[in-house]
Amino acid sequence: MLSCGLPASAFAQTVNQYTNSTTGNIVDSTTCATTVTRTFTVGTNFTVADVNLGVLLSHTYRSDLRITLTSPLGTSVQIMTNVGGAADNLNVLFDDEAAAAISSHSTNDTTGAVPPYLRTFRPTAALTAFDGQSSLGTWTMVICDSVLADVGTFTRADLYLTSAPASYADLSLTKTVSNANPASGGAISYTLSVTNSASSPTAASGVTVLDILPAGVSFVSASGFGSYDSATGVWTVGSIPAGTTRTLTINVTVTAGLGTTIQNDTEISASSVADLDSTPNNASINEDDDAAVSFTTTGTRTAGTPPTLVCPNGTTLLDWNAQSWTSGSSTGTATVANIGAIGFNVTTQGTFTIPLQLNATITGGTTGQNSLYQNVEYTTRTQTTTTVVTLPTAVPGAQFTIFDVDYAPNDFADKMTITGTYNGASVTPTLTNGVTNYVFGNVAIGDVTASDTTNQGTVVATFSSPVDTITIVYGNHTTAPADPDGQAIAINDFTFCNPQTTLSVTKLSNVVSDGVSGSNPKSVPGAVVRYCVLVSNSGSATSSNVVATDSIPANLTFVPGSMLSGTSCAAATTAEDDNNSGGDESDPFGMDFAGNVVTGRAASLGPAASFAMVFNTTVN
């Protein structure tokens, strides 16, 4: 057995490693009468702040195995108990702070040299049971093969004991909600309590707690120790002596709709001294410095009614049944009449369990209707899949449906965030909920399980103003586990308002000079008057071959060589000659003067674009 000390930077803690590499055969023993037992002798006495255990072994069907770790004081922790299914071998570091539990590990491990270990998982029971104990003595690991048929070989184990710093405060957080089933519009309160353990040698100072109120409640007031900022979600607690509890009550109004489950997550975000078994502000969901509570509003949720899409120029349907997509491709194009080629680009931080494709796996209550099917495996609940829909021209409005936005306990919690842009400016859609999800603003969250073949998980997104880019972000809500399982949605057909142009003309004039006054010229005979004719497109489509004319009245005379063009009256600085030929006719605008008419031309004028014609006249 080998041992060594590894320094840890935070609060001068030291990680001590103890290794046992005595190999041995793992044989069947349904009663665990025959085991592989390995010990780690710790000859120094320190207070244990954290325990991790690495195990390397070969064994077919590792779900045959049970592993325990026992401290010198006799405390035993179940490391793993018959989990892993038909997967082979074990090359895992067991760590309470890991994102996923060992019960979720169902793939084969390799048996190469360690450390480092191939994977990290939380054990079956928490290793925090050892925190605060003395390290001195013999630690014992026992491996039992409790199922007949398959056997294996133990290779190595590493016990990592982190020593507690001389100064620490063991903080813990609890949280309750006053009513687990309030009515929508009712009043409830959250109560937060932070305790510094009586066994802590040090008072904690600079303590803060982060409790950002979730969508579905509205802040009313807060009372208790310290101060709470509802804008930032920070409860400033300050100092907590050993053996002391600080409490805060936050009063809120429930704004969530009927039958909606709202979860509120809280964590200690700062402390002046180390904590033996937790780390402030690390977004953990399984340490004693974080807490979560939820409530479900009374009543039965019904599906909402989407707003009517108003399209003066008619609509165009993007029907996926009439389109194609290369299976597994992250990009695709759908070509439809009146609009053109619509681009789709899909990127994921997870892994597509089934290649991205068009199919009718999720029907949403329809029959034989293809959708853009996204079946994704995430390893953390912060990962997302982003679909960007790029239109070749803006449309006055759009509406589309997403199927199967729902929830599965201890599996996933679908979360959809939908945004849009028009000429670079943000556009927010209206989302309409289904039976198994609820909506806040442009976010839809699944909280009930839906069948793939029903419309219960449907979410409808409606853009009632011009849009040229739509972004759909698919991931998990905080009610999902830290390591979600596979989940899927289907983006169904789009209805687009047909593009339309709306052209308007504005005419401005000012007296440039009158030959008399240099500061306040008047429109008298001989005065020079400058005109600007501004043509603007406030519609959602690009207008082509735009021509504007302005006739010079008899009391004015056009000034040759005075014409300028540009995107606005102030920006009209491009000189134009008086004829309708030459390169100046497409730079990008053209102008000419013939008879008594000034003519301006734009080959195209996009949404929110303008072109200006500027010229001078003299007063007769």
Side-chain angles (χ1 to χ4, degrees):
M1 186 196 71
L2 301 175
S3 67
C4 63
L6 306 175
S9 59
F11 300 102
Q13 293 174 276
T14 299
V15 179
N16 302 275
Q17 178 183 350
Y18 305 90
T19 301
N20 192 313
S21 55
T22 303
T23 60
N25 295 326
I26 304 172
V27 299
D28 295 335
S29 178
T30 57
T31 62
C32 292
T34 302
T35 63
V36 171
T37 300
R38 295 293 181 265
T39 59
F40 310 89
T41 301
V42 179
T44 54
N45 185 15
F46 55 84
T47 300
V48 174
D50 187 58
V51 176
N52 293 336
L53 178 67
V55 180
L56 176 66
L57 58 83
S58 58
H59 193 291
T60 52
Y61 277 81
R62 67 165 174 265
S63 59
D64 292 359
L65 302 178
R66 300 176 184 176
I67 303 176
T68 59
L69 179 66
T70 303
S71 71
L73 291 181
T75 301
S76 291
V77 168
Q78 200 70 36
I79 302 300
M80 63 177 279
T81 306
N82 303 113
V83 293
D88 299 337
N89 309 325
L90 187 68
N91 186 340
V92 167
L93 177 69
F94 293 93
D95 181 352
D96 283 345
E97 283 69 55
I102 186 61
S103 58
S104 67
H105 182 28
S106 58
T107 57
N108 294 337
D109 282 350
T110 59
T111 56
V114 294
Y117 284 85
L118 179 65
R119 311 178 199 277
T120 303
F121 288 99
R122 296 194 307 275
T124 298
L127 292 163
T128 52
F130 301 126
D131 292 353
Q133 293 189 8
S134 169
S135 63
L136 185 64
T138 300
W139 295 70
T140 304
M141 180 190 70
V142 176
I143 302 173
C144 166
D145 185 339
S146 63
V147 180
L148 297 177
D150 295 271
V151 295
T153 302
F154 168 78
T155 302
R156 171 177 173 143
D158 291 280
L159 177 67
Y160 300 92
L161 302 180
T162 301
S163 62
S167 175
Y168 67 87
D170 185 9
L171 300 180
S172 59
L173 174 68
T174 61
K175 184 176 187 177
T176 60
V177 63
S178 61
N179 188 348
N181 297 107
S184 181
I188 61 171
S189 61
Y190 295 111
T191 300
L192 289 64
S193 298
V194 182
T195 300
N196 187 357
S197 172
S199 63
S200 298
T202 308
S205 61
V207 176
T208 60
V209 174
L210 183 63
D211 186 355
I212 299 175
L213 295 177
V217 300
S218 175
F219 175 77
V220 176
S221 64
S223 61
F225 193 89
S227 62
Y228 177 72
D229 186 336
S230 62
T232 63
V234 174
W235 171 24
T236 302
V237 185
S239 177
I240 310 178
T244 302
T245 298
R246 305 297 196 197
T247 300
L248 176 76
T249 298
I250 304 174
N251 302 303
V252 299
T253 299
V254 177
T255 59
L258 301 178
T260 300
T261 299
I262 301 297
Q263 179 167 307
N264 187 0
D265 300 290
T266 309
E267 183 184 18
I268 296 175
S269 51
S271 175
S272 63
V273 291
D275 192 321
L276 293 184
D277 52 13
S278 57
T279 302
N281 205 35
N282 67 344
S284 169
I285 60 172
N286 53 23
E287 296 178 350
D288 67 351
D289 73 338
D290 51 66
V293 294
S294 62
F295 66 81
T296 302
T297 54
T298 56
T300 301
R301 182 190 305 147
T302 58
T305 301
T308 300
L309 188 63
V310 179
C311 303
N313 206 30
T315 62
T316 293
L317 176 67
L318 190 169
D319 182 354
W320 284 117
N321 282 13
Q323 304 293 331
S324 62
W325 189 288
T326 302
S327 179
S329 175
S330 62
T331 60
T333 301
T335 301
V336 296
N338 302 314
I339 296 173
I342 302 171
F344 287 79
N345 184 281
V346 185
T347 57
T348 185
Q349 296 170 335
T351 303
F352 286 115
T353 308
I354 296 174
L356 189 67
Q357 59 186 262
L358 296 178
N359 66 33
T361 300
I362 298 177
T363 65
T366 64
T367 301
Q369 176 60 57
N370 279 345
S371 298
L372 185 57
Y373 180 62
Q374 299 182 1
N375 191 312
V376 191
E377 175 77 33
Y378 297 120
T379 56
T380 71
R381 65 181 179 187
T382 60
Q383 292 177 317
T384 57
T385 298
T386 301
T387 302
V388 179
V389 184
T390 304
L391 300 171
T393 184
V395 294
Q399 190 173 71
F400 61 95
T401 301
I402 299 176
F403 294 151
D404 204 33
V405 179
D406 65 344
Y407 164 85
N410 301 313
D411 197 348
F412 65 85
D414 285 339
K415 178 181 178 181
M416 308 294 309
T417 304
I418 302 176
T419 58
T421 60
Y422 173 58
N423 288 331
S426 295
V427 181
T428 302
T430 298
L431 301 191
T432 304
N433 70 283
V435 175
T436 65
N437 51 66
Y438 60 94
V439 166
F440 288 107
N442 63 328
V443 178
I445 297 169
D447 63 345
V448 179
T449 303
S451 168
D452 292 350
T453 58
T454 71
N455 63 357
Q456 293 181 334
T458 295
V459 170
V460 179
T462 305
F463 286 90
S464 298
S465 58
V467 63
D468 54 33
T469 303
I470 297 171
T471 301
I472 305 165
V473 179
Y474 172 43
N476 279 280
H477 185 47
T478 55
T479 48
D483 181 8
D485 203 353
Q487 56 200 96
I489 56 153
I491 302 174
N492 194 236
D493 297 346
F494 289 71
T495 298
F496 297 107
C497 292
N498 288 334
Q500 61 184 27
T501 59
T502 303
L503 299 180
S504 61
V505 178
T506 303
K507 187 174 182 179
L508 304 173
S509 67
N510 67 291
V511 180
V512 177
S513 63
D514 63 3
V516 178
S517 173
S519 60
N520 188 24
K522 305 296 183 181
S523 181
V524 297
V528 176
V529 180
R530 176 168 295 165
Y531 287 90
C532 175
V533 177
L534 183 68
V535 181
S536 302
N537 180 9
S538 60
S540 59
T542 298
S543 184
S544 301
N545 300 318
V546 179
V547 178
T549 60
D550 187 22
S551 298
I552 306 297
N555 65 326
L556 297 175
T557 299
F558 174 76
V559 177
S562 65
M563 293 192 297
L564 301 171
S565 67
T567 56
S568 68
C569 293
T573 57
T574 301
E576 303 284 348
D577 60 27
D578 294 348
N579 59 47
N580 62 358
S581 62
D584 65 306
E585 298 305 308
S586 57
D587 57 357
F589 309 117
M591 292 179 66
D592 70 82
F593 177 73
N596 69 331
V597 178
V598 176
T599 302
R601 301 175 184 82
S604 65
L605 199 61
S610 301
F611 85 92
M613 309 157 34
V614 174
F615 57 90
N616 291 346
T617 63
T618 56
V619 179
N620 295 334

